[in-house]
Amino acid sequence: MGEDSQHNILNNINQIEDKLKELEKEKTNIQDNCSHKEWTVNFDERRSIKRYCSECKRELGYATKEESTNFLRPRG
């Protein structure tokens, strides 16, 4: 690969990273202004059972014992 190609790849990656930062700021702003009136219960990336806002998807903390039991209850 030539230097121009490597420079072009680096520029593209930098632009993508800048856009991701911009979008994360926008997401945080939206979530900060959400009232979090309703939530759902689901697993996080570590398989812990947590509450998430139904509108903005912000993590709101751990589910209560009752919410966890209901979430894990077999359906059908």
Side-chain angles (χ1 to χ4, degrees):
M1 247 198 260
E3 275 189 47
D4 283 345
S5 180
Q6 288 177 336
H7 183 70
N8 203 18
I9 290 171
L10 181 59
N11 280 343
N12 288 341
I13 296 297
N14 286 337
Q15 287 175 354
I16 290 168
E17 289 175 341
D18 289 345
K19 185 66 175 175
L20 284 171
K21 286 178 193 174
E22 182 183 321
L23 290 170
E24 275 299 323
K25 281 184 182 180
E26 185 176 343
K27 177 183 171 184
T28 299
N29 188 41
I30 290 168
Q31 290 175 326
D32 286 346
N33 290 305
C34 181
S35 61
H36 314 302
K37 290 180 183 177
E38 295 182 24
W39 63 84
T40 59
V41 175
N42 211 335
F43 289 112
D44 69 1
E45 65 278 350
R46 292 185 177 164
R47 306 301 285 167
S48 296
I49 302 173
K50 300 231 178 137
R51 284 180 175 180
Y52 293 89
C53 178
S54 297
E55 290 186 35
C56 73
K57 295 185 178 182
R58 176 172 271 175
E59 182 182 304
L60 301 175
Y62 289 97
T64 64
K65 186 173 182 171
E66 183 180 341
E67 290 168 336
S68 297
T69 301
N70 287 338
F71 176 70
L72 295 172
R73 187 182 65 220
R75 310 267 189 253

mmCIF file of all heavy atoms in Angstrom, residues 22-38 51-60:
data_model
loop_
_atom_site.group_PDB
_atom_site.id
_atom_site.type_symbol
_atom_site.label_atom_id
_atom_site.label_comp_id
_atom_site.label_asym_id
_atom_site.label_seq_id
_atom_site.Cartn_x
_atom_site.Cartn_y
_atom_site.Cartn_z
ATOM 1 N N GLU A 22 -19.736 12.846 17.700
ATOM 2 C CA GLU A 22 -20.837 13.797 17.502
ATOM 3 C C GLU A 22 -22.185 13.120 17.776
ATOM 4 O O GLU A 22 -23.049 13.687 18.459
ATOM 5 C CB GLU A 22 -20.780 14.319 16.066
ATOM 6 C CG GLU A 22 -21.827 15.340 15.712
ATOM 7 C CD GLU A 22 -21.728 15.751 14.248
ATOM 8 O OE1 GLU A 22 -20.604 15.898 13.731
ATOM 9 O OE2 GLU A 22 -22.793 15.906 13.634
ATOM 10 N N LEU A 23 -22.356 11.914 17.281
ATOM 11 C CA LEU A 23 -23.610 11.189 17.483
ATOM 12 C C LEU A 23 -23.790 10.788 18.951
ATOM 13 O O LEU A 23 -24.907 10.828 19.472
ATOM 14 C CB LEU A 23 -23.662 9.951 16.589
ATOM 15 C CG LEU A 23 -23.823 10.238 15.088
ATOM 16 C CD1 LEU A 23 -23.623 8.962 14.267
ATOM 17 C CD2 LEU A 23 -25.164 10.871 14.786
ATOM 18 N N GLU A 24 -22.713 10.418 19.634
ATOM 19 C CA GLU A 24 -22.800 10.085 21.056
ATOM 20 C C GLU A 24 -23.229 11.309 21.869
ATOM 21 O O GLU A 24 -24.027 11.188 22.794
ATOM 22 C CB GLU A 24 -21.461 9.554 21.580
ATOM 23 C CG GLU A 24 -21.255 8.077 21.352
ATOM 24 C CD GLU A 24 -22.283 7.188 22.026
ATOM 25 O OE1 GLU A 24 -22.724 7.477 23.149
ATOM 26 O OE2 GLU A 24 -22.647 6.172 21.409
ATOM 27 N N LYS A 25 -22.705 12.483 21.522
ATOM 28 C CA LYS A 25 -23.121 13.718 22.201
ATOM 29 C C LYS A 25 -24.601 13.982 21.976
ATOM 30 O O LYS A 25 -25.325 14.353 22.892
ATOM 31 C CB LYS A 25 -22.306 14.918 21.695
ATOM 32 C CG LYS A 25 -20.938 15.033 22.274
ATOM 33 C CD LYS A 25 -20.266 16.301 21.768
ATOM 34 C CE LYS A 25 -18.862 16.426 22.291
ATOM 35 N NZ LYS A 25 -18.202 17.656 21.817
ATOM 36 N N GLU A 26 -25.053 13.785 20.733
ATOM 37 C CA GLU A 26 -26.467 13.999 20.406
ATOM 38 C C GLU A 26 -27.344 13.005 21.179
ATOM 39 O O GLU A 26 -28.376 13.370 21.730
ATOM 40 C CB GLU A 26 -26.677 13.831 18.903
ATOM 41 C CG GLU A 26 -28.074 14.152 18.445
ATOM 42 C CD GLU A 26 -28.238 14.063 16.929
ATOM 43 O OE1 GLU A 26 -27.235 14.067 16.202
ATOM 44 O OE2 GLU A 26 -29.397 13.971 16.487
ATOM 45 N N LYS A 27 -26.920 11.751 21.246
ATOM 46 C CA LYS A 27 -27.653 10.725 21.991
ATOM 47 C C LYS A 27 -27.739 11.093 23.471
ATOM 48 O O LYS A 27 -28.818 11.019 24.077
ATOM 49 C CB LYS A 27 -26.956 9.373 21.822
ATOM 50 C CG LYS A 27 -27.587 8.249 22.606
ATOM 51 C CD LYS A 27 -26.775 6.969 22.426
ATOM 52 C CE LYS A 27 -27.250 5.877 23.363
ATOM 53 N NZ LYS A 27 -26.424 4.670 23.265
ATOM 54 N N THR A 28 -26.633 11.510 24.052
ATOM 55 C CA THR A 28 -26.605 11.899 25.457
ATOM 56 C C THR A 28 -27.532 13.074 25.713
ATOM 57 O O THR A 28 -28.278 13.090 26.698
ATOM 58 C CB THR A 28 -25.164 12.247 25.895
ATOM 59 O OG1 THR A 28 -24.351 11.086 25.728
ATOM 60 C CG2 THR A 28 -25.106 12.695 27.340
ATOM 61 N N ASN A 29 -27.535 14.049 24.826
ATOM 62 C CA ASN A 29 -28.412 15.209 24.958
ATOM 63 C C ASN A 29 -29.884 14.793 24.936
ATOM 64 O O ASN A 29 -30.683 15.255 25.759
ATOM 65 C CB ASN A 29 -28.111 16.227 23.859
ATOM 66 C CG ASN A 29 -28.862 17.518 24.056
ATOM 67 O OD1 ASN A 29 -28.996 18.020 25.163
ATOM 68 N ND2 ASN A 29 -29.362 18.076 22.960
ATOM 69 N N ILE A 30 -30.233 13.915 24.011
ATOM 70 C CA ILE A 30 -31.616 13.431 23.922
ATOM 71 C C ILE A 30 -31.989 12.689 25.199
ATOM 72 O O ILE A 30 -33.056 12.917 25.783
ATOM 73 C CB ILE A 30 -31.791 12.524 22.685
ATOM 74 C CG1 ILE A 30 -31.695 13.356 21.404
ATOM 75 C CG2 ILE A 30 -33.126 11.772 22.742
ATOM 76 C CD1 ILE A 30 -31.555 12.539 20.138
ATOM 77 N N GLN A 31 -31.107 11.810 25.667
ATOM 78 C CA GLN A 31 -31.386 11.036 26.876
ATOM 79 C C GLN A 31 -31.462 11.921 28.112
ATOM 80 O O GLN A 31 -32.264 11.669 29.005
ATOM 81 C CB GLN A 31 -30.336 9.941 27.061
ATOM 82 C CG GLN A 31 -30.474 8.837 26.027
ATOM 83 C CD GLN A 31 -29.379 7.799 26.117
ATOM 84 O OE1 GLN A 31 -28.242 8.101 26.447
ATOM 85 N NE2 GLN A 31 -29.737 6.561 25.811
ATOM 86 N N ASP A 32 -30.635 12.972 28.166
ATOM 87 C CA ASP A 32 -30.674 13.893 29.305
ATOM 88 C C ASP A 32 -32.004 14.634 29.390
ATOM 89 O O ASP A 32 -32.427 15.034 30.471
ATOM 90 C CB ASP A 32 -29.533 14.917 29.226
ATOM 91 C CG ASP A 32 -28.180 14.318 29.571
ATOM 92 O OD1 ASP A 32 -28.133 13.200 30.121
ATOM 93 O OD2 ASP A 32 -27.161 14.983 29.291
ATOM 94 N N ASN A 33 -32.651 14.843 28.250
ATOM 95 C CA ASN A 33 -33.909 15.579 28.212
ATOM 96 C C ASN A 33 -35.137 14.679 28.251
ATOM 97 O O ASN A 33 -36.262 15.170 28.221
ATOM 98 C CB ASN A 33 -33.944 16.478 26.967
ATOM 99 C CG ASN A 33 -32.973 17.623 27.088
ATOM 100 O OD1 ASN A 33 -33.006 18.381 28.042
ATOM 101 N ND2 ASN A 33 -32.054 17.728 26.134
ATOM 102 N N CYS A 34 -34.931 13.380 28.336
ATOM 103 C CA CYS A 34 -36.042 12.423 28.410
ATOM 104 C C CYS A 34 -36.517 12.325 29.860
ATOM 105 O O CYS A 34 -35.716 12.386 30.793
ATOM 106 C CB CYS A 34 -35.583 11.055 27.913
ATOM 107 S SG CYS A 34 -36.882 9.798 27.941
ATOM 108 N N SER A 35 -37.810 12.152 30.056
ATOM 109 C CA SER A 35 -38.369 12.056 31.410
ATOM 110 C C SER A 35 -38.309 10.632 31.968
ATOM 111 O O SER A 35 -38.558 10.428 33.156
ATOM 112 C CB SER A 35 -39.809 12.554 31.417
ATOM 113 O OG SER A 35 -40.596 11.748 30.563
ATOM 114 N N HIS A 36 -38.001 9.639 31.141
ATOM 115 C CA HIS A 36 -37.874 8.231 31.557
ATOM 116 C C HIS A 36 -39.114 7.755 32.320
ATOM 117 O O HIS A 36 -39.011 7.125 33.363
ATOM 118 C CB HIS A 36 -36.618 7.998 32.403
ATOM 119 C CG HIS A 36 -35.375 8.610 31.874
ATOM 120 N ND1 HIS A 36 -34.874 8.322 30.626
ATOM 121 C CD2 HIS A 36 -34.526 9.497 32.428
ATOM 122 C CE1 HIS A 36 -33.761 9.005 30.440
ATOM 123 N NE2 HIS A 36 -33.535 9.733 31.509
ATOM 124 N N LYS A 37 -40.290 8.053 31.786
ATOM 125 C CA LYS A 37 -41.548 7.708 32.458
ATOM 126 C C LYS A 37 -41.832 6.217 32.442
ATOM 127 O O LYS A 37 -42.430 5.689 33.366
ATOM 128 C CB LYS A 37 -42.713 8.451 31.806
ATOM 129 C CG LYS A 37 -42.704 9.934 32.060
ATOM 130 C CD LYS A 37 -43.886 10.598 31.387
ATOM 131 C CE LYS A 37 -43.820 12.105 31.579
ATOM 132 N NZ LYS A 37 -44.913 12.786 30.885
ATOM 133 N N GLU A 38 -41.440 5.522 31.399
ATOM 134 C CA GLU A 38 -41.701 4.090 31.289
ATOM 135 C C GLU A 38 -40.388 3.370 31.026
ATOM 136 O O GLU A 38 -39.493 3.906 30.387
ATOM 137 C CB GLU A 38 -42.670 3.807 30.142
ATOM 138 C CG GLU A 38 -44.045 4.389 30.364
ATOM 139 C CD GLU A 38 -45.009 4.049 29.243
ATOM 140 O OE1 GLU A 38 -44.795 3.028 28.549
ATOM 141 O OE2 GLU A 38 -45.960 4.809 29.058
ATOM 142 N N ARG A 51 -32.929 -2.103 34.200
ATOM 143 C CA ARG A 51 -34.034 -1.301 33.657
ATOM 144 C C ARG A 51 -33.481 -0.387 32.570
ATOM 145 O O ARG A 51 -32.410 0.186 32.718
ATOM 146 C CB ARG A 51 -34.614 -0.395 34.735
ATOM 147 C CG ARG A 51 -35.483 -1.042 35.729
ATOM 148 C CD ARG A 51 -35.948 0.038 36.681
ATOM 149 N NE ARG A 51 -36.906 -0.462 37.645
ATOM 150 C CZ ARG A 51 -37.440 0.284 38.572
ATOM 151 N NH1 ARG A 51 -37.111 1.559 38.675
ATOM 152 N NH2 ARG A 51 -38.315 -0.226 39.408
ATOM 153 N N TYR A 52 -34.277 -0.228 31.510
ATOM 154 C CA TYR A 52 -33.937 0.685 30.423
ATOM 155 C C TYR A 52 -35.163 1.518 30.087
ATOM 156 O O TYR A 52 -36.278 0.993 30.055
ATOM 157 C CB TYR A 52 -33.493 -0.085 29.170
ATOM 158 C CG TYR A 52 -32.188 -0.811 29.368
ATOM 159 C CD1 TYR A 52 -32.160 -2.102 29.862
ATOM 160 C CD2 TYR A 52 -30.984 -0.191 29.083
ATOM 161 C CE1 TYR A 52 -30.971 -2.770 30.066
ATOM 162 C CE2 TYR A 52 -29.787 -0.845 29.279
ATOM 163 C CZ TYR A 52 -29.785 -2.138 29.772
ATOM 164 O OH TYR A 52 -28.600 -2.781 29.985
ATOM 165 N N CYS A 53 -34.956 2.810 29.825
ATOM 166 C CA CYS A 53 -36.053 3.676 29.417
ATOM 167 C C CYS A 53 -36.642 3.155 28.108
ATOM 168 O O CYS A 53 -35.908 2.828 27.169
ATOM 169 C CB CYS A 53 -35.548 5.111 29.236
ATOM 170 S SG CYS A 53 -36.834 6.250 28.673
ATOM 171 N N SER A 54 -37.967 3.081 28.056
ATOM 172 C CA SER A 54 -38.649 2.586 26.856
ATOM 173 C C SER A 54 -38.543 3.556 25.685
ATOM 174 O O SER A 54 -38.671 3.147 24.532
ATOM 175 C CB SER A 54 -40.132 2.339 27.156
ATOM 176 O OG SER A 54 -40.273 1.335 28.124
ATOM 177 N N GLU A 55 -38.326 4.836 25.974
ATOM 178 C CA GLU A 55 -38.270 5.833 24.905
ATOM 179 C C GLU A 55 -36.862 6.078 24.390
ATOM 180 O O GLU A 55 -36.635 6.127 23.193
ATOM 181 C CB GLU A 55 -38.885 7.145 25.384
ATOM 182 C CG GLU A 55 -40.380 7.054 25.563
ATOM 183 C CD GLU A 55 -40.990 8.403 25.892
ATOM 184 O OE1 GLU A 55 -40.510 9.422 25.378
ATOM 185 O OE2 GLU A 55 -41.939 8.418 26.683
ATOM 186 N N CYS A 56 -35.895 6.262 25.302
ATOM 187 C CA CYS A 56 -34.557 6.676 24.866
ATOM 188 C C CYS A 56 -33.490 5.602 25.064
ATOM 189 O O CYS A 56 -32.329 5.817 24.726
ATOM 190 C CB CYS A 56 -34.136 7.951 25.582
ATOM 191 S SG CYS A 56 -33.693 7.720 27.330
ATOM 192 N N LYS A 57 -33.856 4.474 25.637
ATOM 193 C CA LYS A 57 -32.967 3.337 25.844
ATOM 194 C C LYS A 57 -31.850 3.575 26.859
ATOM 195 O O LYS A 57 -30.903 2.829 26.926
ATOM 196 C CB LYS A 57 -32.351 2.855 24.524
ATOM 197 C CG LYS A 57 -33.344 2.302 23.539
ATOM 198 C CD LYS A 57 -32.617 1.744 22.344
ATOM 199 C CE LYS A 57 -33.579 1.136 21.348
ATOM 200 N NZ LYS A 57 -32.838 0.551 20.219
ATOM 201 N N ARG A 58 -31.960 4.610 27.674
ATOM 202 C CA ARG A 58 -30.933 4.856 28.691
ATOM 203 C C ARG A 58 -31.038 3.802 29.787
ATOM 204 O O ARG A 58 -32.127 3.439 30.217
ATOM 205 C CB ARG A 58 -31.071 6.236 29.316
ATOM 206 C CG ARG A 58 -30.033 6.438 30.453
ATOM 207 C CD ARG A 58 -30.000 7.816 30.972
ATOM 208 N NE ARG A 58 -29.042 8.556 30.155
ATOM 209 C CZ ARG A 58 -28.818 9.850 30.280
ATOM 210 N NH1 ARG A 58 -29.476 10.566 31.151
ATOM 211 N NH2 ARG A 58 -27.940 10.440 29.510
ATOM 212 N N GLU A 59 -29.886 3.327 30.235
ATOM 213 C CA GLU A 59 -29.850 2.400 31.358
ATOM 214 C C GLU A 59 -30.237 3.168 32.614
ATOM 215 O O GLU A 59 -29.681 4.225 32.911
ATOM 216 C CB GLU A 59 -28.448 1.822 31.504
ATOM 217 C CG GLU A 59 -28.331 0.817 32.611
ATOM 218 C CD GLU A 59 -26.917 0.303 32.749
ATOM 219 O OE1 GLU A 59 -26.362 -0.203 31.746
ATOM 220 O OE2 GLU A 59 -26.373 0.416 33.860
ATOM 221 N N LEU A 60 -31.211 2.623 33.354
ATOM 222 C CA LEU A 60 -31.730 3.312 34.536
ATOM 223 C C LEU A 60 -31.327 2.630 35.838
ATOM 224 O O LEU A 60 -31.678 3.103 36.910
ATOM 225 C CB LEU A 60 -33.256 3.399 34.466
ATOM 226 C CG LEU A 60 -33.817 4.129 33.243
ATOM 227 C CD1 LEU A 60 -35.332 4.038 33.233
ATOM 228 C CD2 LEU A 60 -33.351 5.574 33.215
#
